[in-house]
Amino acid sequence: SSLQRKCFRNLPPRNFGFHRSNSFSITSSALATASAAYQHDIDRRSKWLCSVAEHYLAGLVREARGEPNDYKSAVNHYNRLLSLARVKLDHRHPYICALLERRGAVLFEQQKLQCSMLSYLACLKILEHQQATGSNVFNKADLARVLYGIARVLHDKEDYLDALHTYQRALACQRDLAAGSSRPTLDVITTLCNISRVHHLMGDIDAALVANQEVLQLATILVCGKMDHPFLINRLKIEGNILVEAGRVEDAMRTFIEAARRCCDIGRDRMINTLMRGGSNSRGGNGSQEDADAGDSS
């Protein structure tokens, strides 16, 4: 045993690679770095949320007011937040997609149709990229809404063929979304109204009548069979005007009589007087919201 002790005393000190002071220093440094990174991330997120509150929410409020100066202010807010988002985020980030959609909608209300189209198309490109990569950030309702916005711009630009094609794409999405419901949706009815209008403007009377008939059928279900609903009466008047333009006068008179029958006494007298003066303008305006907003569609 004495020999063993001598041997151990003569051995060089063993180095296990562990020095308490160094290990403590490294751990402290790592914790400090992590804390700084965490604080930086918190600061970055806080600044972004402040920017969202300052510009996106303010833009939504201005947009909802609906006055020309408010629209101008809303676009400025959206543009400023887009500039920040493009620096901080990927150019195909969902936040940028949402901002582009809102900006496109406001520019449409200002009738800046070319700028609105560019904003909507950039939004659609991001949305389709997100869906192609398997992201579930956006769904079919988002796609339908953006397609409908693009179709309205094309409609007001009088690019009727492309508008019709885009309305039909939006309608396909809306029908899929409504497939599980026993009641039709207002989105489907609104899009069909505009499809009927575009067919009418393109001179395809038969297609316009077919679309309008579907509007009447779906809207009747939606209003629970309330036949004197103003929206249904308005659609009958539109159908009568189309029939007059097509030279089907007898069919038009039957349609006008049915519309008059559904009116209250005051409305019936007003409508008959209008018809006796030669009827209303069968073509009316070309805007994408004329038929969709006519009457009380609530």
Side-chain angles (χ1 to χ4, degrees):
S1 61
S2 61
L3 181 61
Q4 288 177 343
R5 283 196 296 272
K6 288 180 181 179
C7 289
F8 279 118
R9 279 199 298 268
N10 293 330
L11 286 174
R14 299 179 65 184
N15 184 0
F16 291 99
F18 175 78
H19 300 282
R20 184 177 179 184
S21 59
N22 289 344
S23 175
F24 180 77
S25 175
I26 292 170
T27 302
S28 299
S29 176
L31 285 172
T33 302
S35 297
Y38 181 68
Q39 184 62 45
H40 174 74
D41 186 60
I42 290 176
D43 292 342
R44 181 178 61 83
R45 289 173 183 268
S46 298
K47 288 178 181 178
W48 171 250
L49 289 175
C50 289
S51 298
V52 169
E54 181 181 358
H55 297 300
Y56 185 68
L57 297 182
L60 290 176
V61 170
R62 294 287 190 174
E63 183 181 347
R65 289 177 181 171
E67 296 296 329
N69 288 336
D70 290 317
Y71 285 139
K72 183 177 179 180
S73 177
V75 170
N76 289 336
H77 279 298
Y78 294 148
N79 282 337
R80 290 186 66 180
L81 190 56
L82 269 169
S83 298
L84 291 171
R86 283 173 170 146
V87 172
K88 297 177 179 296
L89 307 171
D90 181 80
H91 279 232
R92 292 180 291 194
H93 196 280
Y95 290 168
I96 292 178
C97 185
L99 284 167
L100 288 168
E101 182 189 355
R102 295 275 27 98
R103 187 178 69 174
V106 176
L107 289 169
F108 174 81
E109 295 298 337
Q110 293 179 301
Q111 285 297 285
K112 296 180 178 180
L113 300 180
Q114 187 60 33
C115 294
S116 176
M117 176 62 72
L118 292 173
S119 195
Y120 269 130
L121 289 176
C123 170
L124 180 63
K125 186 174 181 180
I126 296 173
L127 195 154
E128 290 178 333
H129 168 77
Q130 291 286 337
Q131 291 184 329
T133 56
S135 171
N136 59 358
V137 174
F138 298 110
N139 55 31
K140 192 164 286 189
D142 299 312
L143 179 60
R145 189 179 60 252
V146 173
L147 287 171
Y148 180 77
I150 293 170
R152 290 177 66 199
V153 177
L154 291 167
H155 187 157
D156 281 17
K157 288 180 70 176
E158 301 184 1
D159 191 350
Y160 297 132
L161 191 60
D162 285 342
L164 181 62
H165 174 68
T166 311
Y167 276 136
Q168 288 168 339
R169 284 186 64 191
L171 181 62
C173 294
Q174 292 165 350
R175 288 192 195 278
D176 287 346
L177 291 166
S181 174
S182 59
R183 287 167 58 83
T185 66
L186 190 57
D187 287 340
V188 169
I189 293 171
T190 302
T191 303
L192 280 168
C193 285
N194 282 325
I195 286 174
S196 177
R197 166 60 72 184
V198 171
H199 278 306
H200 184 199
L201 293 169
M202 293 173 66
D204 193 344
I205 300 299
D206 290 338
L209 290 170
V210 168
N212 193 63
Q213 278 297 314
E214 187 173 2
V215 169
L216 284 167
Q217 293 168 6
L218 295 177
T220 301
I221 297 171
L222 191 62
V223 300
C224 302
K226 187 181 177 184
M227 304 304 286
D228 60 347
H229 194 283
F231 181 77
L232 296 177
I233 294 170
N234 182 70
R235 295 312 304 183
L236 284 171
K237 288 160 63 179
I238 289 170
E239 182 173 314
N241 290 332
I242 296 174
L243 288 167
V244 168
E245 187 172 316
R248 295 164 55 180
V249 180
E250 292 184 2
D251 291 338
M253 288 306 301
R254 281 194 290 270
T255 303
F256 286 134
I257 290 169
E258 174 61 21
R261 186 182 65 80
R262 298 185 186 189
C263 290
C264 64
D265 292 339
I266 296 174
R268 185 182 303 114
D269 291 342
R270 187 183 299 119
M271 183 175 175
I272 291 172
N273 288 334
T274 301
L275 292 173
M276 290 178 66
R277 289 197 303 269
S280 59
N281 183 2
S282 65
R283 189 169 286 270
N286 298 347
S288 61
Q289 284 302 98
E290 180 191 352
D291 286 348
D293 287 344
D296 177 10
S297 56
S298 60

PDB file of all heavy atoms in Angstrom, residues 126-142:
ATOM      1  N   ILE A 126     -49.522  36.193 -53.584  1.00  0.00           N
ATOM      2  CA  ILE A 126     -49.065  35.723 -52.274  1.00  0.00           C
ATOM      3  C   ILE A 126     -49.998  34.651 -51.736  1.00  0.00           C
ATOM      4  O   ILE A 126     -49.564  33.610 -51.218  1.00  0.00           O
ATOM      5  CB  ILE A 126     -48.978  36.894 -51.281  1.00  0.00           C
ATOM      6  CG1 ILE A 126     -47.925  37.904 -51.735  1.00  0.00           C
ATOM      7  CG2 ILE A 126     -48.646  36.394 -49.874  1.00  0.00           C
ATOM      8  CD1 ILE A 126     -47.896  39.179 -50.904  1.00  0.00           C
ATOM      9  N   LEU A 127     -51.296  34.883 -51.872  1.00  0.00           N
ATOM     10  CA  LEU A 127     -52.286  33.931 -51.363  1.00  0.00           C
ATOM     11  C   LEU A 127     -52.132  32.566 -52.035  1.00  0.00           C
ATOM     12  O   LEU A 127     -52.133  31.525 -51.371  1.00  0.00           O
ATOM     13  CB  LEU A 127     -53.686  34.500 -51.601  1.00  0.00           C
ATOM     14  CG  LEU A 127     -54.864  33.866 -50.851  1.00  0.00           C
ATOM     15  CD1 LEU A 127     -55.983  34.882 -50.682  1.00  0.00           C
ATOM     16  CD2 LEU A 127     -55.398  32.662 -51.609  1.00  0.00           C
ATOM     17  N   GLU A 128     -51.977  32.573 -53.350  1.00  0.00           N
ATOM     18  CA  GLU A 128     -51.817  31.307 -54.073  1.00  0.00           C
ATOM     19  C   GLU A 128     -50.496  30.633 -53.725  1.00  0.00           C
ATOM     20  O   GLU A 128     -50.416  29.400 -53.664  1.00  0.00           O
ATOM     21  CB  GLU A 128     -51.926  31.553 -55.576  1.00  0.00           C
ATOM     22  CG  GLU A 128     -53.347  31.922 -56.024  1.00  0.00           C
ATOM     23  CD  GLU A 128     -53.459  32.219 -57.499  1.00  0.00           C
ATOM     24  OE1 GLU A 128     -52.424  32.645 -58.095  1.00  0.00           O
ATOM     25  OE2 GLU A 128     -54.544  32.045 -58.072  1.00  0.00           O
ATOM     26  N   HIS A 129     -49.445  31.439 -53.496  1.00  0.00           N
ATOM     27  CA  HIS A 129     -48.155  30.861 -53.072  1.00  0.00           C
ATOM     28  C   HIS A 129     -48.299  30.186 -51.711  1.00  0.00           C
ATOM     29  O   HIS A 129     -47.799  29.065 -51.516  1.00  0.00           O
ATOM     30  CB  HIS A 129     -47.091  31.954 -53.006  1.00  0.00           C
ATOM     31  CG  HIS A 129     -45.834  31.520 -52.306  1.00  0.00           C
ATOM     32  ND1 HIS A 129     -44.883  30.719 -52.913  1.00  0.00           N
ATOM     33  CD2 HIS A 129     -45.383  31.752 -51.034  1.00  0.00           C
ATOM     34  CE1 HIS A 129     -43.901  30.489 -52.064  1.00  0.00           C
ATOM     35  NE2 HIS A 129     -44.184  31.097 -50.916  1.00  0.00           N
ATOM     36  N   GLN A 130     -48.971  30.840 -50.775  1.00  0.00           N
ATOM     37  CA  GLN A 130     -49.168  30.265 -49.445  1.00  0.00           C
ATOM     38  C   GLN A 130     -49.938  28.948 -49.533  1.00  0.00           C
ATOM     39  O   GLN A 130     -49.604  27.965 -48.856  1.00  0.00           O
ATOM     40  CB  GLN A 130     -49.925  31.253 -48.555  1.00  0.00           C
ATOM     41  CG  GLN A 130     -49.132  32.497 -48.172  1.00  0.00           C
ATOM     42  CD  GLN A 130     -48.068  32.201 -47.134  1.00  0.00           C
ATOM     43  OE1 GLN A 130     -48.148  31.231 -46.399  1.00  0.00           O
ATOM     44  NE2 GLN A 130     -47.047  33.037 -47.085  1.00  0.00           N
ATOM     45  N   GLN A 131     -50.959  28.902 -50.382  1.00  0.00           N
ATOM     46  CA  GLN A 131     -51.740  27.676 -50.523  1.00  0.00           C
ATOM     47  C   GLN A 131     -50.927  26.578 -51.206  1.00  0.00           C
ATOM     48  O   GLN A 131     -51.038  25.405 -50.847  1.00  0.00           O
ATOM     49  CB  GLN A 131     -53.021  27.960 -51.314  1.00  0.00           C
ATOM     50  CG  GLN A 131     -54.025  28.821 -50.552  1.00  0.00           C
ATOM     51  CD  GLN A 131     -55.323  29.011 -51.300  1.00  0.00           C
ATOM     52  OE1 GLN A 131     -55.353  29.022 -52.527  1.00  0.00           O
ATOM     53  NE2 GLN A 131     -56.419  29.180 -50.565  1.00  0.00           N
ATOM     54  N   ALA A 132     -50.096  26.963 -52.185  1.00  0.00           N
ATOM     55  CA  ALA A 132     -49.289  25.976 -52.900  1.00  0.00           C
ATOM     56  C   ALA A 132     -48.234  25.332 -51.999  1.00  0.00           C
ATOM     57  O   ALA A 132     -47.853  24.175 -52.213  1.00  0.00           O
ATOM     58  CB  ALA A 132     -48.611  26.630 -54.111  1.00  0.00           C
ATOM     59  N   THR A 133     -47.781  26.057 -50.994  1.00  0.00           N
ATOM     60  CA  THR A 133     -46.767  25.523 -50.078  1.00  0.00           C
ATOM     61  C   THR A 133     -47.387  24.756 -48.908  1.00  0.00           C
ATOM     62  O   THR A 133     -46.677  24.354 -47.990  1.00  0.00           O
ATOM     63  CB  THR A 133     -45.890  26.663 -49.536  1.00  0.00           C
ATOM     64  OG1 THR A 133     -46.725  27.657 -48.919  1.00  0.00           O
ATOM     65  CG2 THR A 133     -45.076  27.306 -50.653  1.00  0.00           C
ATOM     66  N   GLY A 134     -48.705  24.588 -48.928  1.00  0.00           N
ATOM     67  CA  GLY A 134     -49.373  23.811 -47.895  1.00  0.00           C
ATOM     68  C   GLY A 134     -49.737  24.595 -46.659  1.00  0.00           C
ATOM     69  O   GLY A 134     -50.178  24.021 -45.655  1.00  0.00           O
ATOM     70  N   SER A 135     -49.585  25.912 -46.703  1.00  0.00           N
ATOM     71  CA  SER A 135     -49.926  26.738 -45.543  1.00  0.00           C
ATOM     72  C   SER A 135     -51.440  26.787 -45.369  1.00  0.00           C
ATOM     73  O   SER A 135     -52.193  26.823 -46.338  1.00  0.00           O
ATOM     74  CB  SER A 135     -49.382  28.158 -45.738  1.00  0.00           C
ATOM     75  OG  SER A 135     -49.875  29.019 -44.732  1.00  0.00           O
ATOM     76  N   ASN A 136     -51.864  26.790 -44.119  1.00  0.00           N
ATOM     77  CA  ASN A 136     -53.299  26.900 -43.836  1.00  0.00           C
ATOM     78  C   ASN A 136     -53.666  28.278 -43.284  1.00  0.00           C
ATOM     79  O   ASN A 136     -54.701  28.447 -42.642  1.00  0.00           O
ATOM     80  CB  ASN A 136     -53.735  25.822 -42.836  1.00  0.00           C
ATOM     81  CG  ASN A 136     -52.985  25.917 -41.513  1.00  0.00           C
ATOM     82  OD1 ASN A 136     -52.106  26.765 -41.343  1.00  0.00           O
ATOM     83  ND2 ASN A 136     -53.329  25.058 -40.576  1.00  0.00           N
ATOM     84  N   VAL A 137     -52.807  29.260 -43.540  1.00  0.00           N
ATOM     85  CA  VAL A 137     -53.076  30.622 -43.085  1.00  0.00           C
ATOM     86  C   VAL A 137     -54.320  31.175 -43.788  1.00  0.00           C
ATOM     87  O   VAL A 137     -55.156  31.824 -43.184  1.00  0.00           O
ATOM     88  CB  VAL A 137     -51.861  31.530 -43.354  1.00  0.00           C
ATOM     89  CG1 VAL A 137     -52.188  32.983 -43.025  1.00  0.00           C
ATOM     90  CG2 VAL A 137     -50.669  31.063 -42.535  1.00  0.00           C
ATOM     91  N   PHE A 138     -54.424  30.893 -45.096  1.00  0.00           N
ATOM     92  CA  PHE A 138     -55.565  31.362 -45.877  1.00  0.00           C
ATOM     93  C   PHE A 138     -56.437  30.170 -46.266  1.00  0.00           C
ATOM     94  O   PHE A 138     -55.950  29.054 -46.426  1.00  0.00           O
ATOM     95  CB  PHE A 138     -55.097  32.088 -47.140  1.00  0.00           C
ATOM     96  CG  PHE A 138     -54.277  33.317 -46.859  1.00  0.00           C
ATOM     97  CD1 PHE A 138     -52.920  33.338 -47.139  1.00  0.00           C
ATOM     98  CD2 PHE A 138     -54.860  34.444 -46.303  1.00  0.00           C
ATOM     99  CE1 PHE A 138     -52.162  34.469 -46.888  1.00  0.00           C
ATOM    100  CE2 PHE A 138     -54.110  35.573 -46.032  1.00  0.00           C
ATOM    101  CZ  PHE A 138     -52.754  35.590 -46.324  1.00  0.00           C
ATOM    102  N   ASN A 139     -57.728  30.443 -46.431  1.00  0.00           N
ATOM    103  CA  ASN A 139     -58.643  29.380 -46.833  1.00  0.00           C
ATOM    104  C   ASN A 139     -59.415  29.790 -48.081  1.00  0.00           C
ATOM    105  O   ASN A 139     -59.149  30.840 -48.681  1.00  0.00           O
ATOM    106  CB  ASN A 139     -59.609  29.040 -45.686  1.00  0.00           C
ATOM    107  CG  ASN A 139     -60.365  30.272 -45.194  1.00  0.00           C
ATOM    108  OD1 ASN A 139     -60.641  31.198 -45.950  1.00  0.00           O
ATOM    109  ND2 ASN A 139     -60.696  30.287 -43.910  1.00  0.00           N
ATOM    110  N   LYS A 140     -60.385  28.981 -48.470  1.00  0.00           N
ATOM    111  CA  LYS A 140     -61.135  29.240 -49.701  1.00  0.00           C
ATOM    112  C   LYS A 140     -61.958  30.515 -49.608  1.00  0.00           C
ATOM    113  O   LYS A 140     -62.189  31.189 -50.617  1.00  0.00           O
ATOM    114  CB  LYS A 140     -62.032  28.036 -50.011  1.00  0.00           C
ATOM    115  CG  LYS A 140     -62.639  28.066 -51.399  1.00  0.00           C
ATOM    116  CD  LYS A 140     -63.186  26.713 -51.824  1.00  0.00           C
ATOM    117  CE  LYS A 140     -62.090  25.755 -52.173  1.00  0.00           C
ATOM    118  NZ  LYS A 140     -62.604  24.506 -52.784  1.00  0.00           N
ATOM    119  N   ALA A 141     -62.389  30.868 -48.409  1.00  0.00           N
ATOM    120  CA  ALA A 141     -63.140  32.121 -48.237  1.00  0.00           C
ATOM    121  C   ALA A 141     -62.272  33.324 -48.575  1.00  0.00           C
ATOM    122  O   ALA A 141     -62.745  34.296 -49.185  1.00  0.00           O
ATOM    123  CB  ALA A 141     -63.661  32.221 -46.805  1.00  0.00           C
ATOM    124  N   ASP A 142     -60.994  33.274 -48.184  1.00  0.00           N
ATOM    125  CA  ASP A 142     -60.078  34.360 -48.522  1.00  0.00           C
ATOM    126  C   ASP A 142     -59.878  34.447 -50.030  1.00  0.00           C
ATOM    127  O   ASP A 142     -59.888  35.544 -50.602  1.00  0.00           O
ATOM    128  CB  ASP A 142     -58.729  34.148 -47.833  1.00  0.00           C
ATOM    129  CG  ASP A 142     -58.836  34.139 -46.322  1.00  0.00           C
ATOM    130  OD1 ASP A 142     -59.478  35.044 -45.772  1.00  0.00           O
ATOM    131  OD2 ASP A 142     -58.301  33.203 -45.702  1.00  0.00           O
TER     132      ASP A 142
END
